[in-house]
Amino acid sequence: LDEARIASKVQHRNVVPVLDVVTTGEEVILVQEYVHGAPLQWLLRSTQQTRAQMPVNIAVSIGCQVLAGLHATHETVDELGQPMEIVHRDVSPQNVMIAMDGTARLLDFGVAKAIMAAHVTREGTYKGKLAYSAPEQLRGAATRQSDVYSLSVLLWELLVGQRMHRSKSGAELVDTVLNGTPPTIREALSTERVWDSLSAADRRQLQVLDPIVRKGLAVDTRQRWATAADMEEALAEAARPATPSAVAAWLKTAGKDFIDRRDGLIAAEEASWRKVHPVGSGRSSAVAALNSSINLRLPGVVSGERGVGHSDIYLRRSPKVLIAVLCTVIAMLGLGVVFLARDTSPQATPAVTSPVRRVASPIPTAAVVRPPAAAAPTPPRAVAPVIDTQDQEIEEEKLRPVRHSPAEAREKPVRRPRFTAVRAPEPEAPPAPPADTQPAAGTRATNDCTTPYYFQGSKKIFKPACL
């Protein structure tokens, strides 16, 4: 439970987070993010067996990434901004995963120490691995510099290609750690007759990295790196770390056997699952989708009655219930879309505009021959618009405050003003056209509008009285 509390607070790309806690009776299970890759312990043992030397820039890249995760762990604060003083106490190749994207991920906070931990390690009690423990950690007083010491041991092994403490009993190992007498990188490689086979560039890089690693292995904490960030910066300046893509390419070669076996296990599990849940089955795919959406958990753990609270809301129902829940959700979404469309329709909020009074006017359909300029037409008589009394009621109703809800306003029919068309006055007959505009012989010049026009030569002229 303490591991779940502590690991859930650390948020960093080089730390594997705890996603959930499951308690079943007396058993506690941590659900962590799956890292597809290989553990550093397996990679280190594989290089030892094949007597292959890990590239220096690959080892520096892994060391810098783990140091970055350790620094984020040491600097973690709680929700109130108070430092949690987390110390991992178990930095070792077994607890570092190298992912397929080339990132190094630190995991396993099972023996981590923090202020908010429920269990308290008794003074003088040791927790961790002897081969990677700092002298003060063996005495039961681990600090953040103890993690720096453990990382220095790990980096020494990556650069040399073998374990720092080999074939030693517990007493001998404790004496070596307390006295601080580990061999240098050059001494270890010379013993294995590997130093002479290295290239000149690799030897120069190892000579520059050796004092940085030895400072991390100092027995006196005052002579050791104060923080993991300080050691990470020194490593990056001494030797250029490999890029994540370069680490990923090296992993595909060095960890090929492990990754192939892991891929086989994943493929077998997938094939077994598909036999039970055939792909393409609408019912099974819908149930699986609903189960996956319900079982999603937010990262982080909150305190509860049993030390760590967790939402034990797992839907263990029959497929019929799951399908019913899914249909209900779809129906509710449909209703929401209908109401949203209704709210945003143009008729829901009509614009308030002043009524326009239209006056019907005759529209000419053909050209009209105007009378001569001497006979000016009589101006039309002014016509007062006819106002409907209902318009006044509408104007007064607009000034009244609205007492009903928006829903009632939508359901209430909109009263639209009525308009009364005003007939235009009959145009007065213009004076008779001059003699030269009289109809030609043989044409009808009467006021009979059976034929509303006459011809003057080849020109058609409409009768003014018939317009």
Side-chain angles (χ1 to χ4, degrees):
L1 295 177
D2 281 337
E3 179 180 358
R5 280 199 196 93
I6 295 171
S8 63
K9 302 294 183 184
V10 183
Q11 302 294 330
H12 194 268
R13 63 182 179 276
N14 297 117
V15 177
V16 180
V18 173
L19 303 179
D20 197 9
V21 180
V22 180
T23 56
T24 305
E26 298 299 328
E27 192 175 40
V28 180
I29 302 172
L30 303 185
V31 181
Q32 293 183 284
E33 177 186 341
Y34 171 70
V35 181
H36 189 56
L40 188 57
Q41 177 192 17
W42 192 94
L43 296 172
L44 185 59
R45 185 171 61 248
S46 176
T47 56
Q48 291 174 357
Q49 293 175 353
T50 58
R51 294 185 178 275
Q53 196 72 21
M54 181 182 294
V56 177
N57 60 343
I58 298 292
V60 172
S61 176
I62 294 174
C64 288
Q65 293 188 63
V66 177
L67 284 169
L70 283 175
H71 184 69
T73 302
H74 298 157
E75 297 294 326
T76 302
V77 297
D78 60 12
E79 290 77 6
L80 300 179
Q82 299 298 322
M84 296 180 61
E85 301 294 339
I86 301 176
V87 181
H88 191 280
R89 298 197 298 184
D90 198 10
V91 179
S92 59
Q94 292 87 341
N95 294 330
V96 175
M97 287 287 296
I98 308 300
M100 293 298 297
D101 60 355
T103 59
R105 311 287 298 276
L106 181 66
L107 70 156
D108 193 358
F109 287 77
V111 297
K113 184 186 74 171
I115 292 178
M116 47 81 70
H119 79 280
V120 178
T121 303
R122 292 191 302 271
E123 185 177 357
T125 302
Y126 163 76
K127 285 192 174 183
K129 295 182 177 69
L130 283 175
Y132 299 93
S133 298
E136 67 276 8
Q137 186 175 349
L138 294 178
R139 301 186 181 98
T143 64
R144 62 169 60 187
Q145 288 180 292
S146 304
D147 289 341
V148 175
Y149 181 97
S150 301
L151 187 277
S152 300
V153 177
L154 186 149
L155 182 58
W156 188 97
E157 295 180 354
L158 295 180
L159 294 173
V160 174
Q162 62 184 14
R163 295 284 300 272
M164 176 181 286
H165 307 290
R166 295 179 297 171
S167 303
K168 290 185 179 181
S169 63
E172 292 176 342
L173 184 57
V174 170
D175 181 69
T176 301
V177 172
L178 293 177
N179 293 329
T181 57
T184 64
I185 296 177
R186 180 170 183 173
E187 292 173 351
L189 291 176
S190 298
T191 303
E192 297 294 331
R193 296 181 181 180
V194 178
W195 181 263
D196 295 335
S197 63
L198 296 176
S199 64
D202 289 343
R203 288 198 295 267
R204 284 194 302 269
Q205 284 187 328
L206 291 175
Q207 288 176 349
V208 174
L209 293 173
D210 186 67
I212 299 175
V213 177
R214 292 188 65 81
K215 184 176 180 179
L217 295 173
V219 176
D220 190 353
T221 56
R222 294 172 296 182
Q223 300 177 2
R224 198 182 303 165
W225 296 106
T227 64
D230 294 341
M231 184 175 180
E232 177 191 1
E233 183 179 358
L235 285 174
E237 292 180 354
R240 185 176 181 180
T243 61
S245 58
V247 178
W250 171 80
L251 175 64
K252 291 179 181 179
T253 303
K256 185 178 184 304
D257 295 340
F258 183 91
I259 295 172
D260 289 346
R261 290 201 303 268
R262 183 60 55 87
D263 289 341
L265 290 175
I266 295 175
E269 289 293 332
E270 180 67 17
S272 175
W273 187 87
R274 291 188 182 186
K275 289 181 180 179
V276 181
H277 306 279
V279 177
S281 174
R283 178 179 177 183
S284 62
S285 60
V287 172
L290 185 59
N291 272 328
S292 62
S293 63
I294 291 176
N295 289 335
L296 286 178
R297 303 298 184 90
L298 295 176
V301 183
V302 296
S303 58
E305 297 178 356
R306 302 177 63 181
V308 172
H310 56 89
S311 53
D312 285 326
I313 307 176
Y314 289 99
L315 196 58
R316 308 299 186 186
R317 306 295 183 186
S318 63
K320 294 183 179 180
V321 176
L322 299 177
I323 295 175
V325 173
L326 182 61
C327 294
T328 303
V329 172
I330 295 175
M332 293 177 65
L333 291 176
L335 291 176
V337 172
V338 171
F339 281 110
L340 181 61
R342 186 174 181 181
D343 290 341
T344 57
S345 62
Q347 297 181 357
T349 56
V352 179
T353 57
S354 299
V356 180
R357 295 165 177 78
R358 300 183 180 88
V359 178
S361 59
I363 302 176
T365 58
V368 179
V369 177
R370 295 184 179 277
T378 304
R381 293 173 298 181
V383 181
V386 180
I387 301 177
D388 193 353
T389 56
Q390 187 181 2
D391 296 343
Q392 185 68 22
E393 297 177 2
I394 293 174
E395 295 293 336
E396 294 176 357
E397 185 177 355
K398 293 176 184 177
L399 300 178
R400 300 193 189 101
V402 180
R403 302 295 184 181
H404 49 73
S405 63
E408 295 174 351
R410 290 194 298 270
E411 297 176 357
K412 183 177 179 180
V414 179
R415 298 180 59 187
R416 303 188 178 278
R418 296 178 306 193
F419 304 100
T420 303
V422 179
R423 184 179 300 278
E426 294 291 339
E428 295 183 1
D436 56 352
T437 61
Q438 293 298 327
T443 60
R444 299 180 60 183
T446 64
N447 290 335
D448 185 10
C449 293
T450 304
T451 303
Y453 55 85
Y454 61 90
F455 291 91
Q456 187 174 0
S458 60
K459 185 177 182 179
K460 180 189 290 186
I461 300 176
F462 287 87
K463 302 176 183 178
C466 298
L467 294 178

